[in-house]
């Protein structure tokens, strides 16, 4: 990471590479890793402030450090720059789940399903979140959509079967 940065300090990607190296040490509680990753990402942002991916890197860093509120702020900033940024909606849903906000997670994945209505994994995730929120009718709708897009999706079939069982739709 340092070698990349030293080769060309004006290239934001070199700062991103350095930040990723430091970020990988954050979960290990390496002293100074969080701060160093933040400095590198801030420098990358300074050099390319229109790139929503840098906000996502900063959000992931905050998640790794347990700062869910700040992570959400960075995700929202990424979405402001790129309204159809699927990775941002997925990260937001994960943050919401970690923050015990299933409704927020469902809202985030619902937005992703509108952006990409042909991805069975999005509808599976939506169905799973609704199942966990005990919205079994909503889970059935999402899981049926997932299976209509990918008829062999075994996990979707499994949770669809569980949802049918809970709602007494045995046929």
């Amino acid at each position: 990471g340092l070698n990349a940065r030293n080769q060309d300090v004006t290239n934001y990607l070199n700062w991103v590479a350095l930040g990723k190296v430091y970020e990988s040490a954050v979960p290990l509680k390496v002293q100074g890793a969080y701060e160093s990753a933040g400095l590198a990402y801030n420098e990358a942002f300074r050099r390319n402030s229109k790139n929503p991916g840098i906000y996502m890197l900063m959000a992931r860093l905050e998640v790794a450090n347990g700062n869910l509120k700040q992570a959400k702020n960075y995700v929202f900033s990424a979405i402001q720059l790129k309204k159809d940024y699927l990775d941002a909606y997925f990260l937001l849903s994960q943050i919401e789940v970690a923050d015990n906000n299933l409704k927020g997670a469902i809202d985030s994945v619902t937005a992703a399903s509108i952006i990409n209505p042909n991805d069975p994994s999005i509808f599976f995730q939506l169905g799973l979140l609704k199942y966990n929120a005990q919205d079994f009718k909503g889970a059935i709708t999402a899981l049926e959509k997932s299976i209509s897009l990918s008829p062999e999706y075994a996990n979707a079939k499994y949770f669809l079967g569980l949802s049918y069982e809970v709602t007494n739709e045995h046929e």
Side-chain angles (χ1 to χ4, degrees):
L2 290 170
N3 283 340
R5 184 211 51 202
N6 292 341
Q7 288 296 314
D8 182 1
V9 296
T10 64
N11 186 335
Y12 83 97
L13 289 171
N14 293 338
W15 289 98
V16 166
L18 180 60
K20 285 182 176 182
V21 172
Y22 284 125
E23 181 185 344
S24 68
V26 171
L28 303 173
K29 307 288 187 212
V30 173
Q31 186 176 8
Y34 168 75
E35 294 79 8
S36 296
L39 290 171
Y41 289 154
N42 281 320
E43 188 61 31
F45 179 77
R46 192 174 75 74
R47 296 178 183 287
N48 190 353
S49 61
K50 300 292 184 200
N51 185 334
I54 297 172
Y55 278 120
M56 290 294 291
L57 292 167
M58 296 164 107
R60 287 187 179 101
L61 175 62
E62 295 302 333
V63 168
N65 202 47
N67 302 328
L68 298 182
K69 184 177 180 184
Q70 185 59 42
K72 259 196 249 190
N73 290 336
Y74 283 132
V75 171
F76 288 138
S77 294
I79 292 170
Q80 285 294 327
L81 286 177
K82 184 172 172 38
K83 300 281 188 231
D84 63 347
Y85 199 171
L86 284 175
D87 287 346
Y89 289 101
F90 287 129
L91 181 57
L92 181 58
S93 75
Q94 293 169 351
I95 293 168
E96 296 290 14
V97 168
D99 205 21
N100 294 315
N101 181 5
L102 275 179
K103 183 191 176 324
I106 290 168
D107 290 347
S108 181
V109 176
T110 298
S113 74
I114 293 167
I115 294 167
N116 189 357
N118 296 316
D119 186 337
S121 65
I122 293 173
F123 288 96
F124 170 71
Q125 186 175 6
L126 182 58
L128 187 58
L129 287 168
K130 288 187 175 197
Y131 180 88
N132 287 330
Q134 298 185 352
D135 174 7
F136 301 110
K137 293 283 189 188
I140 288 169
T141 301
L143 293 165
E144 285 177 343
K145 175 72 174 175
S146 178
I147 292 169
S148 75
L149 294 168
S150 180
E152 302 303 317
Y153 204 146
N155 288 340
K157 287 181 176 183
Y158 176 76
F159 281 98
L160 179 59
L162 292 177
S163 299
Y164 283 150
E165 178 64 27
V166 171
T167 58
N168 290 318
E169 296 182 37
H170 295 114
E171 286 182 30

